[in-house]
Amino acid sequence: MAFMGDTMNPTPLWQNGPSPGAFYNFPGNASTIAPSRHGVQDFTAHSASPITTTTTVIGVKFDKGCVIAGDTLGSYGSLARFRDCPRVMKVNDLILLGCGGDYADFQYLKDIIQQKIIDERCVGDGLQLKPRSLHCWLTRVLYNKRSKMDPLWNSYVVAGIQDGEPFLGAVDKLGTAYEDAVISNGLGAYMATPLLRDAVDKGPLDQETAIAVVRKSMEVLFYRDARAFQRYQLGVVTAEGIKITDEELKHDWSLAHMIQMK
Amino acid sequence: MASALVPEIPVPGFSFENFQRNAFLAQKGFPAPKATKTGTTIVGIIYADGVILGADTRATENTVVSDKNCQKIHYLASNMYCCGAGTAADTEMTTQSVASQLELQRLHTGRTVPVETAATLLKRMLFRYQGHIGAALVLGGVDRTGPHIYCIYPHGSVDKLPYATMGSGSLAAMAVFEAGWKRDMNEEEGKKLVRDAIAAGIFNDLGSGSNVDLCVIRNTGPAQYLRTYEEANVKGKKQGSYRYALGTTAVLKQRVIPLEVESILVRPTEAFQPMDVEPQTSR
């Protein structure tokens, strides 16, 4: 009677006590005082918050292609720690990928995407990855990760040429995906989007106007985003190919002389 | 307890008497009615000849538009106006209270009141209430020292700037200003810039909408309040009509009863003396 139940599932001898044949966590041990959240077998980390972060990426579509831009600062909280974190990457001759958010998660996916391209070249069938399929793949990966409560804390902007037409799409850390003529994340969604939408609504853009309005938006963001930086990358994708240039902002603080608090 | 002979002198400051009762009611399923917020875009700039203030005209109660065409540019004095964002009642009452204090000051000193006085009165009042009065204001005006724009926050801090934006659409409007503001613009450029900033707020922010109001206050001459400077969101025209054509319903019988007028009497009321106030052109 003292030993009830079957050999496989023995009943405990008393409340909260040891059960025969099973491991028993003695009270007062380190594992019972501060029980780990995940248990002994679970070694996976779950992103609770981003550590080294990057700010806005903006993108705009013009008649023959797309322009995207993002500055090169990696912030460590409120410390401007890493001043050379490029986050506009060339995927292949048709696709540009920009990313904002946690830099480590971007580097992780960047390696995976680059390996994908290498594998594709090894297949050697002359076919290239297209922007819409990368956009779709990114959506599935990010949504899947977030559904497992382990998100990649990023906001991606995919720009490229899809079947001869410019393509511009966004995916965020929740897996929300959409395409639009104007994409921006972070503070750019509030400050750059009105300027870019205004330019796009006025009529079809050409490359110079698109680059000019993107430069203007980066300047405005430098004035008003507390995590911005004056060096940025400007990427242009057209049917001819991809060009990523490093730019330095010109900013004007002369209005400081007009401000006099009494 | 209070009676007509011994009226209760109200204790100054906010009364939190009903706080416990409201918490109990909310818990039982009767939440307090939501304050109408303005959820706004308000802006002000200094241009060559004075200041230009601008505002949208949408007032919201959470996600419902409660007033499609409200007035967010409030009169303070003939040489200064104040745009208000935040809780609609707070901006309205605060500006009215300060407007009356400014009028008393004007009558007391016999001079135009400087804009700094209004900024000081507003900030002292808002700081006293520690942010419980949810009024975020853009005060603009012209006095003998020139044009001024002040940004006044609900907790009582003040910024003095050449261009300012407040409200939920402030980022969209500020993007337009940072891209387009320059010193000594003329009136046309100034009005266009303010209109573009408010339009950016109207079309990119859900808390702002409807029309654009402007107020131009020049160094010389009275303020010009352009109510509905632009109708940015015009209601669509109905494509069809549900009116029935004459003759759809057959008329079976008709009887006309004329009303006979016996007499007509016209009597004028006495003329009244208007109060002695300074002339206001646009109110």
Side-chain angles (χ1 to χ4, degrees), chain A:
Chain A
M1 200 175 107
F3 184 66
M4 289 167 53
D6 52 335
T7 333
M8 285 292 114
N9 302 309
T11 51
L13 290 174
W14 54 82
Q15 271 276 346
N16 302 324
S19 58
F23 285 112
Y24 177 63
N25 284 326
F26 284 93
N29 280 355
S31 59
T32 41
I33 290 175
S36 70
R37 281 176 61 213
H38 306 300
V40 146
Q41 305 306 324
D42 187 353
F43 294 107
T44 56
H46 293 254
S47 293
S49 59
I51 306 294
T52 305
T53 52
T54 50
T55 184
T56 313
V57 187
I58 55 178
V60 77
K61 227 193 261 188
F62 60 91
D63 56 1
K64 295 206 177 64
C66 300
V67 187
I68 64 177
D71 63 21
T72 59
L73 179 69
S75 310
Y76 198 70
S78 61
L79 171 66
R81 189 163 176 189
F82 305 106
R83 301 195 296 183
D84 187 19
C85 292
R87 52 211 183 89
V88 174
M89 78 179 261
K90 170 182 165 167
V91 175
N92 59 23
D93 288 320
L94 292 175
I95 316 178
L96 260 181
L97 182 68
C99 175
D102 187 69
Y103 199 59
D105 287 341
F106 166 60
Q107 285 176 318
Y108 170 70
L109 261 192
K110 179 175 166 186
D111 287 345
I112 294 180
I113 294 173
Q114 281 172 339
Q115 188 58 51
K116 255 167 112 64
I117 302 298
I118 292 172
D119 294 343
E120 193 182 66
R121 270 203 226 118
C122 292
V123 169
D125 55 3
L127 295 172
Q128 276 201 79
L129 185 68
K130 289 191 194 160
R132 182 165 281 129
S133 51
L134 180 66
H135 184 247
C136 180
W137 178 84
L138 269 176
T139 315
R140 299 270 54 84
V141 165
L142 291 170
Y143 183 73
N144 220 310
K145 290 282 278 168
R146 89 96 197 239
S147 302
K148 292 196 212 136
M149 295 301 289
D150 182 16
L152 287 165
W153 207 283
N154 288 130
S155 223
Y156 289 93
V157 176
V158 183
I161 306 289
Q162 172 82 19
D163 304 321
E165 292 298 317
F167 172 93
L168 187 63
V171 194
D172 78 354
K173 63 176 169 296
L174 301 171
T176 316
Y178 61 95
E179 291 170 47
D180 200 356
V182 166
I183 304 269
S184 46
N185 51 31
L187 204 77
Y190 298 95
M191 302 214 75
T193 305
L195 297 172
L196 297 170
R197 271 191 191 154
D198 205 39
V200 165
D201 289 340
K202 281 206 182 82
L205 289 174
D206 62 348
Q207 185 166 333
E208 283 85 55
T209 328
I211 292 180
V213 76
V214 163
R215 287 216 175 97
K216 198 69 191 170
S217 305
M218 293 303 287
E219 191 188 330
V220 169
L221 283 169
F222 179 63
Y223 292 137
R224 293 285 161 173
D225 184 357
R227 304 282 183 268
F229 193 56
Q230 61 259 43
R231 286 205 294 270
Y232 65 99
Q233 287 177 296
L234 189 77
V236 183
V237 56
T238 51
E240 280 89 57
I242 299 213
K243 222 167 27 166
I244 303 180
T245 48
D246 292 315
E247 313 265 334
E248 175 113 19
L249 270 176
K250 279 188 285 292
H251 37 107
D252 178 18
W253 299 92
S254 60
L255 82 78
H257 299 290
M258 281 196 74
I259 300 174
Q260 277 135 16
M261 275 307 299
K262 294 229 207 82

